[in-house]
Amino acid sequence: MNSEGDEPSSKRRKHRGTIERNWEYVCNHNKENAKILGDKNVDPKCEDSENNFDFSVMSYNILSQDLLEDNSHLYRHCRRPVLHWSFRFPNILKEIKHFDADVLCLQEVQEDHYGAEIRPSLESLGYHCEYKMRTGRKPDGCAICFKHSKFSLLSVNPVEFYRRDIPLLDRDNIGLVLLLQPKIPCAASPTICVANTHLLYNPRRGDIKLTQLAMLLAEISSVAHQKDGSFCPIVMCGDFNSVPGSPLYSFIKEGRLNYEGLAIGKVSGQEQSSRGQRILSIPIWPPNLGISQNCVYEVQQVPKVEKSDGDLTQTQLEKTEVVVTAEKLSSNLQHHFSLSSVYSHYFPDTGIPEVTTCHSRSAITVDYIFYSAEKEGVAEHPGAEVALVGGLKLLARLSLLTEQDLQTVNGLPNENNSSDHLPLLAKFRLEL
């Protein structure tokens, strides 16, 4: 993107238009459906019924004002007035009101703005709001807000990625996990787990990003776990600071990652240079984090020793050492969820990448909505690695844009779009 100083004012004035984003209906049984214009149109084959619970989710990094001002070099292409919070917040609120999502997952929510303006405004629109500020002296955090009319709150589970006792985890990022219950007249009312996070940005610290992700997945596993051993449906949103196809992205979608020999700077796919190419250690995080390579909380196993006159035998000690060594040497990460991305990340007709964030330095995808995909035609077999997961059907998504599209409105932020990220929006169905 050109900076403001590089571009004639007459040319800048042409960048005042708006770009239309369309609803794309993607019902599994109606994949050929054309793009539907306008968010109020309904594909008749996707209509609601008493056997379904339909809901919408928005994920949106709204750009903390403090972070904007601390990184002003990223917004040299912008006219100064569009960067003021007094201009930006009404635009952001207008977007939220227009799309009217049932669940909002917001990142870079500045604490003082949240208390004074964001929360009161959203509550007036019928939302219940939960917020988790970043640790340390960081001014922003993540919020999950949901419509009173659609959900009841069962639990709030914040996750702090900073750990004083673990040198690796010296960053102040956080996650937030809610357990929600749909308000439906159903005897066996289901639950839905909604998670929101903003992972570390630093492209050269993939070790920290993967560990933060593992901590979030462990909390989701704990919250979403049901009595029968399965998991309730999961929606995981956020700014993951990783690009499509990167090892971190692939791990989320495929449920496994062998990171042996993987360079730390290659984990998120943001780093193209040869800088920071130290190899990931095995294991990435120390045992005292209390999270296994399967991304679940470990129950600390203390050997049960019956009272006797003697100590543990040498054979018992050797067995214990073998188990610990095997765990330490594992380079395989796994998780137990079957997660799909709402977006495909490339336009099917052209192969041009979709973009979720755009400023003076880059235009890429780092924001995602992942969800528990319905499993169709998958035969269950004994000893299956992936636990049973409640499935959601993706009904529709709000189309994304190309970098070229965004250049026609002078990138982000601009007169109509007041963050350097686009909001992501999806409509889901839970079959009862």
Side-chain angles (χ1 to χ4, degrees), residues 117-388:
E117 296 171 271
I118 298 171
R119 180 173 181 170
S121 297
L122 294 180
E123 288 179 341
S124 72
L125 297 175
Y127 289 98
H128 172 92
C129 302
E130 294 292 339
Y131 178 72
K132 174 59 182 172
M133 189 177 175
R134 284 200 289 163
T135 51
R137 296 192 154 196
K138 302 301 186 292
D140 65 289
C142 293
I144 301 179
C145 314
F146 59 89
K147 288 283 187 71
H148 283 292
S149 58
K150 290 285 268 193
F151 296 98
S152 299
L153 178 63
L154 297 183
S155 70
V156 181
N157 310 274
V159 188
E160 295 184 355
F161 299 145
Y162 175 83
R163 285 281 297 266
R164 184 176 297 177
D165 58 328
I166 299 177
L168 173 69
L169 295 172
D170 61 351
R171 309 303 164 95
D172 293 301
N173 308 82
I174 54 88
L176 183 60
V177 184
L178 302 190
L179 190 63
L180 302 178
Q181 188 168 49
K183 288 186 174 178
I184 50 176
C186 179
S189 191
T191 55
I192 297 172
C193 179
V194 178
N196 185 20
T197 194
H198 188 177
L199 300 185
L200 177 71
Y201 165 72
N202 191 333
R204 297 185 294 279
R205 291 309 303 268
D207 50 347
I208 299 177
K209 294 184 200 234
L210 275 174
T211 306
Q212 290 179 345
L213 176 62
M215 295 171 77
L216 181 69
L217 291 170
E219 186 64 27
I220 293 171
S221 181
S222 176
V223 171
H225 194 264
Q226 301 184 118
K227 291 179 181 178
D228 64 357
S230 66
F231 296 101
C232 71
I234 295 156
V235 178
M236 184 171 73
C237 300
D239 180 341
F240 290 82
N241 274 314
S242 301
V243 302
S246 65
L248 187 143
Y249 172 90
S250 298
F251 173 52
I252 293 172
K253 284 195 67 177
E254 296 170 12
R256 56 184 66 237
L257 173 68
N258 185 343
Y259 60 85
E260 184 175 4
L262 178 61
I264 289 177
K266 296 294 186 184
V267 167
S268 65
Q270 300 161 289
E271 185 71 19
Q272 300 302 319
S273 73
S274 59
R275 295 169 59 197
Q277 296 304 297
R278 186 163 50 92
I279 302 300
L280 285 167
S281 61
I282 303 176
I284 300 171
W285 57 82
N288 63 321
L289 180 59
I291 292 176
S292 75
Q293 299 293 291
N294 291 331
C295 298
V296 296
Y297 291 124
E298 287 183 316
V299 178
Q300 297 300 321
Q301 300 290 343
V302 179
K304 291 184 179 179
V305 182
E306 294 182 9
K307 289 183 180 179
S308 66
D309 294 334
D311 295 327
L312 287 173
T313 65
Q314 186 61 35
T315 304
Q316 287 173 310
L317 288 172
E318 286 172 358
K319 283 182 180 177
T320 303
E321 288 171 4
V322 168
V323 171
V324 172
T325 303
E327 173 70 16
K328 283 186 176 179
L329 293 177
S330 172
S331 61
N332 291 296
L333 293 183
Q334 296 183 61
H335 67 75
H336 295 302
F337 309 123
S338 176
L339 297 174
S340 290
S341 172
V342 162
Y343 291 91
S344 57
H345 314 308
Y346 298 91
F347 288 90
D349 298 338
T350 62
I352 295 173
E354 296 174 336
V355 167
T356 69
T357 182
C358 177
H359 48 64
S360 294
R361 288 283 180 88
S362 67
I364 57 174
T365 284
V366 294
D367 307 279
Y368 303 93
I369 301 176
F370 296 104
Y371 67 101
S372 300
E374 265 191 341
K375 289 185 178 178
E376 294 186 357
V378 179
E380 293 180 25
H381 57 277
E385 279 294 323
V386 178
L388 295 172

Side-chain angles (χ1 to χ4, degrees), residues 46-58:
C46 294
E47 284 181 354
D48 202 357
S49 78
E50 61 183 14
N51 297 320
N52 302 318
F53 177 76
D54 292 357
F55 65 102
S56 55
V57 177
M58 174 189 278

Side-chain angles (χ1 to χ4, degrees), residues 7-19:
E7 193 174 50
S9 59
S10 59
K11 186 176 180 182
R12 285 204 307 276
R13 280 197 292 272
K14 293 177 183 178
H15 293 310
R16 296 294 176 85
T18 59
I19 292 181

